[in-house]
């Protein structure tokens, strides 16, 4: 059974860089047919897709965050990471990592999720 | 960018009622539309993919339909365990971008 687990700092100061890692177990991050994604959810609000990375290293980002986001993969550790720079209080949210199923001829969808980790931006 | 308009934002229904949620895309997305259920404090769970395909293990009272710009998600007989917020999510195969709808909170009357 595939499992994803987020880790990283739960408190980040304004203007600094948020850094999170998602450890994948029960499967290889290099498997074809999948990409790896980050999604966030501000307290009491809806879901916002941040971006995803293919096993090749190609990335796609939400245009509203693109200038501040970097997603990368570490195949040796079977994990992928998120960096979000110049954070403000508006970046306070639960951050989820998820696997994206891209194998089928149809849509891309999130089939496995981490439990989520709350990141608070505050001085 | 494709925008997703989900409605209603919340609803209240009785156990056994038929519940319908709609999602409208700002442009044609074929059938690249998925539905998720999120219970409080939990990660979302995939229910429907490709607009109408039921994910393995999901009860058959959940269904989805639609194509192009207009999509519908239905719970045929609302159960107490269905209390959650439901989200649609689209995939733009031209840009590679993904977008969620605003969510619908379902409560028991």
């Amino acid at each position: 059974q595939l499992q994803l687990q987020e880790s990283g700092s739960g408190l980040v100061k304004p203007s600094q860089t948020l850094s999170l890692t998602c450890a994948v177990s029960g499967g290889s991050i290099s498997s074809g047919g999948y990409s790896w994604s980050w999604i966030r959810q501000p307290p009491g609000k809806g879901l916002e897709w941040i971006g995803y990375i293919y096993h090749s290293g190609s990335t796609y980002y939400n245009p509203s965050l693109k200038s501040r986001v970097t997603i990368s993969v570490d195949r040796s550790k079977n994990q992928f990471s998120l960096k979000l720079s110049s954070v403000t209080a508006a970046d306070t949210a639960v951050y989820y990592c998820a696997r994206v199923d891209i194998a089928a001829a149809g849509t891309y969808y999130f089939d496995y999720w981490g439990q989520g980790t709350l990141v608070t931006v505050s001085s | 960018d494709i925008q997703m308009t989900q409605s209603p934002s919340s609803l209240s229904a009785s156990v056994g009622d038929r519940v319908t949620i709609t999602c409208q895309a700002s442009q044609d997305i074929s059938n690249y539309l998925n539905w998720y259920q999120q219970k409080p404090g939990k990660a979302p769970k995939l229910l429907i993919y490709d607009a109408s395909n039921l994910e393995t293990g999901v009860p058959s009272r959940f269904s989805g339909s639609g194509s192009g710009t207009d999509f519908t998600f239905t719970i045929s007989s609302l159960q107490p365990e269905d209390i959650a917020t439901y989200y649609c999510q689209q995939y733009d195969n031209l840009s590679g971008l993904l977008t969620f709808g605003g969510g619908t909170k379902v409560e028991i009357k």
Side-chain angles (χ1 to χ4, degrees):
Chain A
Q1 177 78 345
L2 191 77
Q3 292 187 320
L4 292 83
Q5 179 66 58
E6 303 92 347
S7 63
S9 176
L11 180 64
V12 183
K13 289 182 168 51
S15 80
Q16 293 190 342
T17 296
L18 177 160
S19 295
L20 296 174
T21 296
C22 182
V24 179
S25 59
S28 173
I29 203 167
S30 298
S31 297
Y34 303 105
S35 63
W36 304 90
S37 186
W38 289 95
I39 301 104
R40 70 180 184 179
Q41 185 171 36
K45 296 189 177 180
L47 301 166
E48 180 179 33
W49 169 69
I50 298 171
Y52 64 83
I53 186 167
Y54 288 109
H55 62 85
S56 65
S58 299
T59 53
Y60 287 81
Y61 298 132
N62 187 323
S64 68
L65 299 169
K66 188 174 182 178
S67 63
R68 299 193 291 132
V69 173
T70 303
I71 297 176
S72 59
V73 168
D74 185 337
R75 292 179 188 77
S76 67
K77 295 182 178 179
N78 214 40
Q79 64 186 33
F80 62 107
S81 299
L82 168 71
K83 290 188 184 300
L84 181 65
S85 64
S86 304
V87 298
T88 69
D91 295 309
T92 294
V94 174
Y95 285 75
Y96 294 99
C97 59
R99 189 179 80 169
V100 186
D101 188 317
I102 64 172
T107 188
Y108 284 18
Y109 54 84
F110 307 100
D111 58 354
Y112 285 91
W113 296 68
Q115 65 184 21
T117 187
L118 175 63
V119 178
T120 302
V121 178
S122 175
S123 55
Chain B
D1 302 346
I2 297 175
Q3 307 302 316
M4 303 301 296
T5 303
Q6 187 175 341
S7 61
S9 57
S10 65
L11 65 87
S12 181
S14 300
V15 172
D17 280 356
R18 184 180 185 87
V19 169
T20 299
I21 299 169
T22 64
C23 211
Q24 185 172 59
S26 59
Q27 61 191 76
D28 190 334
I29 58 170
S30 184
N31 66 334
Y32 298 159
L33 193 284
N34 312 303
W35 293 96
Y36 300 83
Q37 176 193 65
Q38 186 181 33
K39 296 185 177 181
K42 300 294 187 180
K45 173 188 175 183
L46 177 69
L47 299 180
I48 303 285
Y49 64 93
D50 285 352
S52 61
N53 293 313
L54 195 66
E55 173 71 340
T56 302
V58 173
S60 59
R61 64 180 180 274
F62 296 101
S63 65
S65 64
S67 67
T69 60
D70 295 301
F71 300 86
T72 300
F73 172 81
T74 300
I75 307 173
S76 61
S77 177
L78 185 67
Q79 300 301 303
E81 61 267 32
D82 300 335
I83 299 313
T85 300
Y86 294 84
Y87 293 92
C88 62
Q89 171 252 314
Q90 69 85 23
Y91 165 64
D92 181 352
N93 68 323
L94 294 181
S95 68
L97 303 182
L98 308 172
T99 311
F100 286 97
T104 297
K105 186 174 183 178
V106 175
E107 298 177 318
I108 295 285
K109 191 180 295 182

